[in-house]
Amino acid sequence: MLDFLNNIIGRNPGKFKAKVEVYSWQTCPYCIRAKLLLWWKGVEYTDYQIDGDNNAREAMAQRANGRRTVPQIFINNQHIGGCDDLYQLDSEGKLEPLLIPPLS
């Protein structure tokens, strides 16, 4: 609906083709913040909202090396960590290379 704003605000939807998955709770401020960064960069992601679902949380923890806090973020099946980890990767310039698939 507001796609015309993408160029104005510097968003590039479709630029990144990585498979991004976020395990989150709907009202978690860290989850919201992590998804906002992904949205701002134009990254499409799958959001697994696991609010109160202990089985889903256990499955997430198995993928996330035992980490049970949300969010837990995966890029191309690689565990990135949580919100702070995502923002740290971005501030170090290491996030975007993970989001762009290597040339074949």
Side-chain angles (χ1 to χ4, degrees):
M1 182 171 143
L2 299 175
D3 289 339
F4 71 95
L5 288 175
N6 289 333
N7 288 337
I8 296 169
I9 63 176
R11 287 187 71 235
N12 295 306
K15 174 180 176 183
F16 302 112
K17 303 294 183 193
K19 177 183 176 188
V20 179
E21 300 167 279
V22 180
Y23 288 84
S24 69
W25 280 32
Q26 187 173 7
T27 58
C28 163
Y30 295 102
C31 300
I32 294 166
R33 187 169 177 247
K35 292 186 282 188
L36 182 61
L37 175 61
L38 294 171
W39 173 85
W40 184 261
K41 291 192 166 292
V43 176
E44 292 185 23
Y45 59 89
T46 302
D47 184 21
Y48 303 113
Q49 291 189 356
I50 62 168
D51 303 59
D53 185 340
N54 289 330
N55 291 333
R57 189 174 205 151
E58 187 59 38
M60 175 200 75
Q62 287 178 0
R63 283 189 76 191
N65 304 313
R67 290 177 74 177
R68 299 182 56 78
T69 58
V70 289
Q72 291 301 317
I73 303 159
F74 297 83
I75 299 176
N76 293 325
N77 294 315
Q78 176 186 348
H79 182 233
I80 299 304
C83 179
D84 291 341
D85 302 307
L86 182 70
Y87 273 82
Q88 182 174 354
L89 284 172
D90 188 47
S91 70
E92 294 172 354
K94 297 178 181 176
L95 178 59
E96 288 192 14
L98 291 175
L99 297 169
I100 299 173
L103 297 174
S104 315

